[in-house]
Amino acid sequence: KKEPPIFVMFRLLKKVRPDSIELREMNSSVIDGDNEIHFLTGDDSMYRLENNTETFSATGNFNDPSTVGKLNELFDSMFSTATKLAI
């Protein structure tokens, strides 16, 4: 099985900056109603919330520190229980 190119990039980055990357596999999904969602935060007030993971439909906001705080807390909670992967 061929390795995804992004893993090659992660390994190269790890060699150059060992403390800059840590890969983990989440043990659960984020569900809102009947839908799995994906999200990212970019700073203290910006987020993107993908509410349809098949069509990549999303909402976002560049000035919502309250929602970003909640998403960051959710991420930290999930990250702390995720399985660490070797790079």
Side-chain angles (χ1 to χ4, degrees):
K1 184 177 177 183
K2 188 174 179 180
E3 182 176 57
I6 193 141
F7 284 96
V8 174
M9 185 182 73
F10 287 154
R11 226 184 341 282
L12 291 172
L13 180 60
K14 184 88 170 163
K15 285 181 183 178
V16 176
R17 298 196 51 212
D19 296 329
S20 66
I21 189 166
E22 183 174 325
L23 223 52
R24 294 191 183 208
E25 182 175 15
M26 298 303 217
N27 302 319
S28 62
S29 298
V30 179
I31 305 295
D32 181 30
D34 293 330
N35 298 322
E36 179 178 358
I37 62 170
H38 297 162
F39 67 91
L40 66 85
T41 60
D43 57 22
D44 293 339
S45 61
M46 188 279 293
Y47 71 90
R48 178 181 188 273
L49 184 61
E50 189 173 280
N51 51 18
N52 187 322
T53 59
E54 292 181 19
T55 65
F56 310 109
S57 173
T59 59
N61 194 308
F62 289 92
N63 188 24
D64 190 349
S66 175
T67 299
V68 170
K70 292 172 188 171
L71 291 173
N72 284 340
E73 286 177 17
L74 175 60
F75 176 85
D76 289 343
S77 173
M78 293 178 73
F79 190 81
S80 70
T81 62
T83 304
K84 189 173 182 177
L85 300 176
I87 300 176

